[in-house]
Each structure stands twice: as structure tokens, then as C-alpha cells.
Amino acid sequence: MSHKPFALAALLAASCTAQAAPDADLAAIRSQINEIKQSYEQRIAALEQKLAQAESKATKAETTATKAETTASKAEVVANEARLNVRQPQTSASAFNPEISLILSGNYTNLKQNPSERRLQGFIPSGGELMPEGRSFNLGESELVIAANIDPMFRGTLRLALAPDNTLGVEEASVQTLGLGNGFNLKAGRFLSGVGYLNEQHPHEWDFSNAPLPYQAFFGNRLGMDGVQARWLAPTPIFLEFGAETARAMSFPATDESKSKNGLMSASAFVHLGGDLDVSNSWRGGISYFASQPKDREYEDPLNGLNNSFSGSSRTWIADLLWKWAPNGNAKQTNLKLQGEYFSRTESGDLIYDTATTAQQGNFRSTQSGFYAQAVYQFMPNWRVGYRYDRLSSGSANFELINNGALPAAALPLLASYSPSRNTAMVDWSPSEYSRVRLQYSQDKSRPEATDHQIWLQYVMSMGAHGAHKF
Amino acid sequence: MKKITRFVGISLLSLLSLPALASLNIFATVPEWGALAKEIGGDKVSIYTATTALQDPHRIEAKPSLLAQARRAQLVVANGAALEIGWLRLVVRDSGNSAIQSGQPGYFEAASQVAMREVPQVLDRANGDVHAAGNPHIHLDPRNILRVGEALTARMGELDAANAEAYRANFTAFASKWQAAIVRWENEAASLRGVPVLVHHSSFVYLSAWLGLKEQGKLEPKPGVEPSSGHLSALLERQKSTPARMVLRAAYQSDGPSLWIAGKAGIPAVLLPFTVGGTVEAGNLFGLFDDTIQRLLKANR
């Protein structure tokens, strides 16, 4: 601010001097201005030169930058290729860890009848759990599955079941061939038999919370085997598969578990046929046969408290049919699954009546059958409803000692003819492939004197390795 | 009875002789790789495609028909990157076919030929159905088709040496046509660069990266998890501040969620073929990209 008055004063003084100045002074001023002009011109020229230099430098920098960019993009391409070519190195031995998955389940049940009084009238107890086992809160089986390819030839699977009573069971421990070729597959160890459709599925894969009545009555829920299985897939455009097993059968109706003998014990054979009707409809059907020679197979008749024992032959036939529909074959939105199996078993041999005291022995023969049919419909993503009908027919047992009058007609009260049946409805919700919560209601008429009403609320969850989408 | 036996015998024999008709039996898991194998193989191969464009490739089961076809295949052309994890391993294992087991020349995976996008840093299913190897839908970047085609040609030639020359010639012809088409598509789609879009599932990551589309949100809250109304409302709210120009879905995905958000936001819901056969126009690989770009351009007008 203080400069302004000073500048004004200087201007005033200069103009006063100019007025009084002679020509000589004017010439001096001119030469001075010229000097100033020259010096400015020199400076401008110098500046221009500097500018030009800077400009050329900038261009050079730009060229360098472009080059760098090109190099960078080339490097990126090289890096991408390198990433493709160089596989992730195996950093440690644990890289070969097998696939591990764990299945957790549990339920809350509300039962009208006491589960300990439950029985399938007309049928010899199969020893399998007649689920549900208890009322209120129950922990289900926790399954731990470890599987891996052993080498290019074999694959191994171990499936442990941790029961809620803190016992550990080996559900499956098997090795199978990998691409033996020509459609052959061999399996050895402990596995679930390939008979029927549902038999090979584990409880967490079931569409209902419990096994169908025929599976409960004929196999004690499912037929397990310690032995070998051979399968052959025919090279035909339609699915045609043959299978045979020979094994120590680990379930009812066999008693192989306690047998001590060389050679063959139980055996089974099955054939499966299947295909697509069109893009929306797929199906699979099969016929299976299982033969066993139970020896001293004892059961307690809950109605008179006596123990009886059977030895002889047991032959079971199964026919199964599965039909799946999904619009355009896309099961994500809606789909329908229809499934049914029919069982027929004939046992003939000798029955020892009341093994504890009189132990009377006579010829015994019975033919029993049963079926279930079910429909499960996914009406929107994540939600399904299902209905199942099960029915068994006990037929009448043909016992020599009753026929000839040695024993009264009511000597085998558990085997008195009856047709157990059951209606089951369910709705389940699966927020993802790995979790499911199910509400199920059953009206169970497995014995004549009482109808049971069973309500289940169940969860089934899996974690770890991605499960297989079986058909 | 004799007649019946003879009839059955003859039909069985004719069934057995069927696979011998073509020189190379190929089992392709998804339509795009079936179509590519066809371009390379021409009439020298017989191709069975296990799924259609209207099926969610994550949700396939090991159907009996697939087992029967895998049994007779000499080459399985899979996508890989865990796309078929639910069913293919089971089909390959149970087929009893030694030629197509993993590790054999008869097992080919497309995804191992290209650089993967969206490889997760954290593997946790709390993040939905994540694929450890990265986003598996690699085919919607046409440059990947070339990379896979090159490797597939080599593999087909290895398995069927007699026709290796023909495969190479077919692929060379295809590749030059394809490269020209890429240039054309890139020119046509220049106006799509930077266009913000919503997608139903992360099906179009490779397409977006190629064309420069800006994926601003997914209708699925987590991969593989159904769109919820809460999540859709949140997306709609975001639309006010950062508006997307269109919402994309694949032919096999349900139209409900994208139609809802499109109606509310006043933007077009675009069905893309996703793979060969997804729309009438997407009859082959060229049609797939032609139609995809046409549909995007139409929505962007």
C-alpha cells in the first residue's frame, strides 16, 4: 500500500524533468530505450531457445512413455501366458489331502405313541432303527466322509457315522477301480449294496426324514455289504447296467456277520435301464435280486416274549422306477421326482419255536411284499413338497407245527397277518445346495392297535467337498 | 421264440456297432464347447452335448443318459473350473471308460487354457457358491474361444492322428474367420464401452471385461443364492445415485427378478443367449456373439 504514493511522486517528478529537458537529453533517453529493447530481445530469444529445448525434451519423454506402455502391455501378456503355463507348485505334502466332507443332522420329533412300543406287525424285526428313535430333541448321525483317488487305478472312500450315543460306526470303507475300461467297475470293502434305488443313498440324501417301510422291513433300513461288487455298463445309447455282488451281508435278513465259513455267503444281482424320454423327462428302472442263507436268526416276539429262530434261505426281489421331470431339463426353478419300489421276499427253511425252553422245530415258509411310492415337487427355487405312501403285506406264515396242530394258531403272534401302511407329507427348504430344513408329518399304521402321528422338524447340512448330484 | 432271440441279438449288435460310425466320439458338457469341437472336427467327429443353453450348468445331475454317452466317448470336453463339479466326476468315474478319466488324453478342460477372472482370495461358502478356480464362464470372451480351440485342436489330433491334418486345417480356417469377426464385433460394440449394467448372476464377467461393460451389481446377493426382495430393493435404491442402463440375464435364468427391477427402474431387461442355442439366432458360435452384441446394442439405444 505504501508504494502507491511513492510511485505517483516519482511520475510527477519525471514529467517535470521532461518538460524542462533539451534535445540532447531526448537522444540519451532514446539510446537508453534501445539498450533496454536489445536486452529484452536477447532475453526473449534465450527464453525461446530454452522453450524449444524443453519442448523437444517433452516429446522425447512422451515417446519414452509410449514405449514403456507398450512394454508394460507386452509384459502383461507375457505374465498372463506365464500364469497359464506355470501351474501352482505343490507347496507341501498336504496338497494331496483327500476330499473331506462332514454332514450334520438333528431333529425335533413329536410322537403320539411311545416309540419303544413301535413294531411292524406281521414282520420279523429287522434290527434296523425304526426311526424316529426318540421324542423331543434328537441328534442325528454325523457323517464324516474322506475320499480321494489313490493312484491312477483306484479310489478310496471312508464314511464314518458318529451316532448320537457317542459310538462310531464304519458306514463305508471301500476301494473302487478308476476306469478299468470297457465299462467295468469293481468295488471292494464295505459299501451299500447297489440293489434297488434308494439303498445306495445315505440318510442325508433321502427326500424324507426316515426310510420307506419296505426298506425298514426287508433290510433294516438299508443293505450293507462287506465284499466285492462288479458293475458293467453296456456300450449302448440307452443306459443299461448290470451288477453283481458277493459279500458278507451286514444287514437283515442275513446273519453273515456272525458266520464262520469259507467261500461265498450272500449274493445279489441287479440290472438298471434308463434314459431320457425328451429333454424334460428322464427315467431309470431296475430289477434286483438278493439271496442269503440266514442261520439261527433269532428274534424276540414282543407280543408273547418268546424267542424263535430261523435257518434257511431268504430271497428278495426288488423292482424300482424313478422318473424326473424339469421344464427343459432345468431343475433350478421347478422339478418333479416320482419314485417307487416294490419288494417281495420268500423265506423257507426251519423255524425253532421258543429256543429257550421247548425248542420245537418245524418247516417254515413265508412270502411277504411291500412297496412305497412318492412324489417330490419343487414348486419354486429352494422349496419342495413331497408325499409318500408305504404299504407292506405280511402274508401268512406257513409253519408246519401250527399246520399240524402241534402248536396253537396264535403261537407266533408277531407274524399274524397284517398290512402296515403309512402316509407321509413333507415340506423342505434348502437355501443352498448344502443346507436343508425339513418339516414332515407321518400317519403311521404299522400295528393294528394304535395309529401314530409323527411330526419331525429336521436339519441336514453338509460342509467341505462338493457333493455329487446323483440321479 | 427263435425269431425274438434273433431280433434281440441283431438289435444288440447294431447298438454295439453304433459308436464305430464316427472316427472320434466327443462328449461335450456344455453347448459352447460342443460347437467349438464341431468347428474343428467337422464331419470327422460325432458330438454329444450333455446340456442345453436352457439348463443351469451348475445344476445338472448324473443322469443315466449321460452315463451311457460317456461310456462310448473317446474325448470328454469339459469346461472345468468346477462348473460341472456336481455331476461330471461321477459320470466319468461310473462310466467305466478308461479313456476319459481325469489325467488321460481323453479328458480335456477348457478353463485350464485361459487366464481366469474372479479367482477368490478367500474360500468360504458364507460367500455363496464360489468357484475356487475362478469364474468358470470363460467362453463369452471370444479371444478365449481361440485359445481353447488351439489346445482342443491339438488334443483331437493327438487322439485321432489320422485326421489331425483335417482338424488343423478346419481350425485355421475357423480362426481366421473368428479373428475377423472379433474385429467386427469390437467395432460394432464400441458404444458399449463404459455402459453400466446389472447382471442376474456373474455369468458375463468375461463378456463385460472384453466389451468394457461396467457391471454395477448382481441380482443374486451371493453367487448361486436366489435374488431376495431385500437385495433387489437395495439395488433399486442404488439405481438413483448410480443408474445402470440395462439388466442382463442368461437364457436359462428365471426372468422374474430382472423384469421386476427393469420395470421399477425403467431400464430394459436383456436376455442374452449365454451359449449356443440360448436364442434362435445363436445357432453357432458366430451367431452367439452376433446376437449377444445386437441385443446389447438394441438395449443401449
Side-chain angles (χ1 to χ4, degrees):
Chain A
M1 274 294 160
S2 58
H3 295 282
K4 249 186 184 169
F6 174 77
L8 278 172
L11 254 174
L12 201 67
S15 62
C16 291
T17 329
Q19 272 169 6
D23 282 359
D25 283 358
L26 201 68
I29 289 167
R30 275 199 185 126
S31 83
Q32 268 178 3
I33 288 173
N34 273 341
E35 267 171 36
I36 291 168
K37 204 177 150 191
Q38 271 175 6
S39 102
Y40 274 125
E41 268 170 3
Q42 276 170 3
R43 278 189 201 174
I44 286 168
L47 278 173
E48 265 175 4
Q49 204 182 340
K50 273 185 189 167
L51 195 69
Q53 275 172 357
E55 245 170 30
S56 90
K57 268 184 193 165
T59 322
K60 270 183 200 160
E62 210 173 295
T63 319
T64 317
T66 321
K67 271 184 195 161
E69 217 170 89
T70 320
T71 317
S73 68
K74 269 184 198 160
E76 204 180 316
V77 174
V78 172
N80 270 340
E81 275 170 9
R83 198 163 64 173
L84 281 177
N85 293 334
V86 180
R87 290 280 169 275
Q88 289 286 315
Q90 303 284 10
T91 46
S92 68
S94 66
F96 282 107
N97 267 346
E99 307 148 30
I100 296 176
S101 59
L102 180 64
I103 291 123
L104 299 177
S105 70
N107 57 61
Y108 176 86
T109 52
N110 196 313
L111 313 174
K112 181 149 184 277
Q113 308 292 340
N114 189 342
S116 64
E117 287 166 12
R118 201 156 173 266
R119 69 172 197 280
L120 286 172
Q121 174 60 35
F123 288 81
I124 293 174
S126 63
E129 325 87 81
L130 281 178
M131 294 180 295
E133 290 177 274
R135 286 167 152 163
S136 187
F137 292 102
N138 296 291
L139 181 66
E141 267 183 0
S142 310
E143 271 186 27
L144 178 66
V145 191
I146 300 173
N149 293 343
I150 294 164
D151 60 19
M153 278 302 290
F154 298 105
R155 177 179 175 80
T157 306
L158 174 69
R159 191 179 287 266
L160 298 173
L162 291 90
D165 60 3
N166 299 333
T167 54
L168 186 66
V170 179
E171 288 268 297
E172 190 176 343
S174 65
V175 292
Q176 70 177 101
T177 54
L178 283 174
L180 202 58
N182 298 317
F184 283 101
N185 263 321
L186 291 177
K187 195 189 265 189
R190 176 170 296 181
F191 53 87
L192 292 175
S193 166
V195 297
Y197 167 69
L198 198 62
N199 195 68
E200 271 190 305
Q201 299 199 350
H202 293 271
H204 70 272
E205 296 167 309
W206 295 348
D207 291 321
F208 292 85
S209 303
N210 47 2
L213 285 183
Y215 273 100
Q216 291 189 357
F218 291 97
F219 288 148
N221 284 335
R222 53 189 186 269
L223 181 61
M225 296 199 150
D226 284 7
V228 292
Q229 179 193 67
R231 284 177 188 248
W232 181 67
L233 188 59
T236 49
I238 195 163
F239 172 78
L240 175 61
E241 182 192 52
F242 299 91
E245 294 158 345
T246 175
R248 184 191 286 272
M250 302 303 281
S251 322
F252 187 85
T255 56
D256 300 348
E257 256 178 287
S258 55
K259 272 186 187 169
S260 170
K261 75 181 269 274
N262 291 319
L264 302 180
M265 290 188 182
S266 297
S268 74
F270 49 86
V271 54
H272 293 140
L273 196 64
D276 294 344
L277 196 72
D278 56 32
V279 72
S280 303
N281 292 284
S282 306
W283 63 279
R284 200 197 92 162
I287 301 280
S288 313
Y289 175 69
F290 172 70
S292 185
Q293 302 287 328
K295 191 167 186 319
D296 301 326
R297 190 182 69 202
E298 198 162 297
Y299 77 94
E300 189 194 339
D301 193 323
L303 299 173
N304 61 10
L306 299 180
N307 285 326
N308 310 312
S309 145
F310 171 81
S311 299
S313 83
S314 175
R315 293 160 206 286
T316 308
W317 285 94
I318 308 169
D320 63 271
L321 184 63
L322 174 70
W323 192 283
K324 288 191 183 184
W325 170 86
N328 293 317
N330 187 21
K332 171 123 183 176
Q333 299 298 318
T334 56
N335 64 73
L336 176 69
K337 182 180 176 189
L338 300 175
Q339 171 185 336
E341 292 185 67
Y342 172 81
F343 284 65
S344 172
R345 179 170 65 211
T346 299
E347 295 200 316
S348 66
D350 290 314
L351 189 78
I352 302 175
Y353 174 75
D354 192 6
T355 53
T357 53
T358 58
Q360 291 158 277
Q361 185 172 348
N363 275 333
F364 179 87
R365 185 184 168 83
S366 94
T367 297
Q368 305 188 307
S369 63
F371 74 93
Y372 75 92
Q374 68 181 51
V376 175
Y377 178 56
Q378 179 176 309
F379 57 97
M380 60 182 282
N382 307 344
W383 287 90
R384 308 190 307 165
V385 289
Y387 170 74
R388 177 178 69 190
Y389 180 69
D390 316 48
R391 189 177 177 87
L392 303 174
S393 171
S394 73
S396 8
N398 207 334
F399 187 29
E400 187 188 5
L401 298 184
I402 294 179
N403 292 350
N404 67 16
L407 286 172
L412 301 172
L414 180 62
L415 302 190
S417 178
Y418 185 65
S419 294
S421 68
R422 187 169 65 185
N423 286 292
T424 309
M426 73 89 186
V427 53
D428 69 24
W429 172 64
S430 311
S432 76
E433 245 186 279
Y434 310 99
S435 61
R436 174 164 290 168
V437 179
R438 178 189 290 129
L439 180 65
Q440 176 175 319
Y441 165 76
S442 295
Q443 180 204 47
D444 181 317
K445 294 177 186 163
S446 52
R447 58 189 198 269
E449 72 276 11
T451 298
D452 197 4
H453 298 278
Q454 309 168 337
I455 296 169
W456 307 58
L457 183 60
Q458 186 194 24
Y459 67 84
V460 181
M461 315 259 165
S462 65
M463 60 195 94
H466 194 295
H469 301 176
K470 288 183 196 162
F471 182 71
Chain B
M1 193 63 202
K2 238 183 180 171
K3 260 187 180 171
I4 294 174
T5 329
R6 238 171 87 189
F7 173 75
V8 169
I10 288 169
S11 25
L12 269 178
L13 272 177
S14 58
L15 288 178
L16 288 171
S17 59
L18 268 182
L21 288 175
S23 44
L24 193 63
N25 262 325
I26 297 178
F27 178 105
T29 62
V30 283
E32 58 268 27
W33 305 131
L36 181 60
K38 187 79 206 161
E39 298 279 359
I40 299 166
D43 56 0
K44 301 275 190 289
V45 296
S46 146
I47 294 168
Y48 174 80
T49 303
T51 60
T52 74
L54 301 182
Q55 297 170 348
D56 186 337
H58 308 86
R59 286 294 187 100
I60 304 299
E61 287 179 340
K63 294 191 293 181
S65 55
L66 301 183
L67 276 163
Q69 294 294 340
R71 161 76 169 89
R72 305 174 333 135
Q74 286 146 289
L75 173 62
V76 165
V77 180
N79 185 78
L83 182 69
E84 306 99 337
I85 193 171
W87 61 275
L88 188 62
R89 286 182 306 176
L90 197 62
V91 165
V92 165
R93 205 185 300 148
D94 286 355
S95 70
N97 181 347
S98 51
I100 58 165
Q101 300 297 315
S102 160
Q104 297 292 327
Y107 183 83
F108 177 88
E109 270 191 6
S112 51
Q113 312 303 327
V114 305
M116 302 298 289
R117 296 187 177 273
E118 291 190 335
V119 180
Q121 295 298 308
V122 179
L123 277 182
D124 186 343
R125 292 220 174 100
N127 298 329
D129 201 1
V130 290
H131 293 270
N135 189 307
H137 309 294
I138 55 168
H139 66 285
L140 285 179
D141 182 337
R143 297 165 298 188
N144 283 349
I145 300 273
L146 277 185
R147 291 191 189 105
V148 173
E150 213 173 300
L152 184 56
T153 305
R155 188 66 69 85
M156 285 164 65
E158 188 183 328
L159 287 169
D160 180 14
N163 288 316
E165 270 311 311
Y167 297 149
R168 213 163 304 137
N170 286 347
F171 179 68
T172 311
F174 168 78
S176 62
K177 259 168 74 188
W178 191 254
Q179 267 151 348
I182 291 179
V183 173
R184 176 164 56 82
W185 290 323
E186 284 175 350
N187 286 334
E188 281 172 5
S191 61
L192 294 171
R193 196 153 287 277
V195 168
V197 296
L198 294 174
V199 295
H200 181 111
H201 172 79
S202 45
S203 321
F204 305 111
V205 171
Y206 294 84
L207 179 73
S208 300
W210 172 52
L211 294 180
L213 294 171
K214 223 172 96 199
E215 287 191 11
Q216 225 162 239
K218 297 178 182 70
L219 306 193
E220 290 181 343
K222 300 269 165 75
V225 176
E226 281 299 305
S228 63
S229 53
H231 180 69
L232 290 182
S233 305
L235 278 182
L236 195 59
E237 193 57 36
R238 267 221 324 257
Q239 186 72 9
K240 286 178 190 160
S241 52
T242 49
R245 289 287 296 276
M246 57 187 94
V247 49
L248 311 180
R249 72 172 191 279
Y252 67 81
Q253 281 153 356
S254 67
D255 55 0
S258 49
L259 288 182
W260 184 87
I261 207 151
K264 295 275 181 190
I267 56 174
V270 187
L271 179 145
L272 295 181
F274 182 69
T275 181
V276 175
T279 58
V280 183
E281 294 83 0
N284 60 19
L285 286 169
F286 290 97
L288 167 64
F289 283 90
D290 281 335
D291 191 38
T292 299
I293 286 168
Q294 287 315 312
R295 281 167 185 262
L296 288 171
L297 289 174
K298 197 177 149 208
N300 194 39
R301 274 208 280 269

